[in-house]
Amino acid sequence: MILQHFGLKHLPLSKESPELWDDGSLASLRESFQWLLHTPGLGLLTGDPGVGKTATLRLLTEPLNPHRYRIIYQSDTDFGRVDIYRTLGRALGVEPHYRRAHLWKDLKERIQDLVENKQVLPVWILDEAQNLPPDFFRDFPAFLNFAFDSRDLLTVWLVGHPSLAQTLDRVPYAALASRIRVRYHLRPVLERERFAALITHAFRSAGCSHTLLSDSGLELLHQASKGCPRQAGNVLHTALRLAVPKGG
């Protein structure tokens, strides 16, 4: 009813949006993402909830050739460390053993086979990584060790809240922190001009040539969302729903 009333293809700033807004601020992240595809390693992407971390990575992974890259996205991270590796095993077609040593051996052999014999690079994205158990952070560097640590055969992105970076900077996780090649913090759109451009893009992407918002309405949306795209979408969707006449 909302879409029909306003002539929209989908709600602005919704998951149905076919493209992500980028005013050039993501150029550095794009370059870093591509770099870790050519020289496999560990990346860290942080940001407050709703700023677009997952949507950005989805944008970056969608055009990748599936014959060259095996994308493994995992967001169920609030489990034991062995469960995390079992999920990776299932994604790679490895029988998930319960003994960690056996599971690690099979996973490493599978990864090595993919890279060396099939020329396919596994790209493991661990979303909500702030929920990973501490023992995972402690032993993950050992898992990444291939051939006396002479080669990197797996690209991994740890994605999570800002607290994730603070956790990894603690002394017990120094071995893992030293392996992080890329650190990127995604920030909310706080600048008014950039926020206005975000909303304009959101409406145009949804099939509307204007924002349907007055200047004061846009300012209220900016203040209420604090520049967070997800929160802006939630507020905007509620406003659009309330703006539809009853029975209309």
Side-chain angles (χ1 to χ4, degrees):
M1 186 178 297
I2 296 177
L3 301 184
Q4 183 179 5
H5 182 80
F6 291 106
L8 301 172
K9 295 182 293 186
H10 55 77
L11 289 173
L13 294 175
S14 67
K15 294 182 179 180
E16 289 76 21
S17 180
E19 58 184 21
L20 186 70
W21 175 73
D22 179 17
D23 62 349
S25 59
L26 298 179
S28 176
L29 179 57
R30 288 177 184 270
E31 293 175 2
S32 298
F33 186 84
Q34 289 297 321
W35 183 53
L36 287 188
L37 294 179
H38 296 294
T39 56
L42 180 61
L44 175 65
L45 174 62
T46 57
D48 292 327
V51 295
K53 300 183 296 296
T54 304
T56 299
L57 284 176
R58 185 171 64 247
L59 171 75
L60 295 175
T61 56
E62 279 180 350
L64 296 182
N65 185 343
H67 299 292
R68 293 188 56 193
Y69 303 102
R70 179 73 62 85
I71 308 300
I72 302 138
Y73 174 77
Q74 185 172 348
S75 59
D76 297 329
T77 50
D78 195 10
F79 297 102
R81 58 177 173 173
V82 177
D83 293 317
I84 303 299
Y85 291 113
R86 286 197 195 109
T87 301
L88 175 63
R90 293 188 186 96
L92 293 177
V94 173
E95 183 66 28
H97 292 278
Y98 284 90
R99 294 182 62 87
R100 185 166 60 96
H102 197 166
L103 179 58
W104 272 28
K105 176 179 178 295
D106 290 347
L107 280 172
K108 289 192 173 191
E109 288 178 353
R110 174 60 173 160
I111 291 170
Q112 189 167 351
D113 176 63
L114 282 172
V115 173
E116 295 181 350
N117 299 325
K118 297 180 173 60
Q119 287 74 55
V120 174
L121 174 70
V123 180
W124 192 15
I125 298 173
L126 284 162
D127 207 348
E128 303 296 340
Q130 74 278 351
N131 296 329
L132 286 165
D135 50 6
F136 177 87
F137 292 134
R138 283 193 293 268
D139 67 18
F140 195 42
F143 177 77
L144 296 175
N145 187 330
F146 289 87
F148 287 94
D149 211 17
S150 64
R151 302 183 62 190
D152 291 306
L153 304 180
L154 177 68
T155 286
V156 180
W157 279 93
L158 297 176
V159 185
H161 299 172
S163 60
L164 174 61
Q166 299 169 6
T167 296
L168 295 179
D169 284 337
R170 294 170 54 191
V171 173
Y173 314 122
L176 181 58
S178 69
R179 286 180 173 270
I180 298 174
R181 294 186 179 181
V182 173
R183 289 176 179 251
Y184 191 93
H185 183 68
L186 196 60
R187 303 181 183 280
V189 187
L190 297 177
E191 302 83 0
R192 287 179 173 80
E193 294 77 10
R194 295 184 64 231
F195 185 80
L198 166 67
I199 300 303
T200 298
H201 172 273
F203 273 99
R204 286 179 178 172
S205 177
C208 186
S209 60
H210 51 88
T211 65
L212 302 179
L213 296 176
S214 64
D215 290 342
S216 58
L218 183 63
E219 179 61 26
L220 287 172
L221 180 62
H222 182 221
Q223 294 178 6
S225 65
K226 298 180 180 179
C228 172
R230 181 192 296 166
Q231 184 62 22
N234 292 338
V235 174
L236 189 56
H237 300 166
T238 299
L240 291 175
R241 178 175 55 82
L242 293 175
V244 177
K246 292 184 179 180

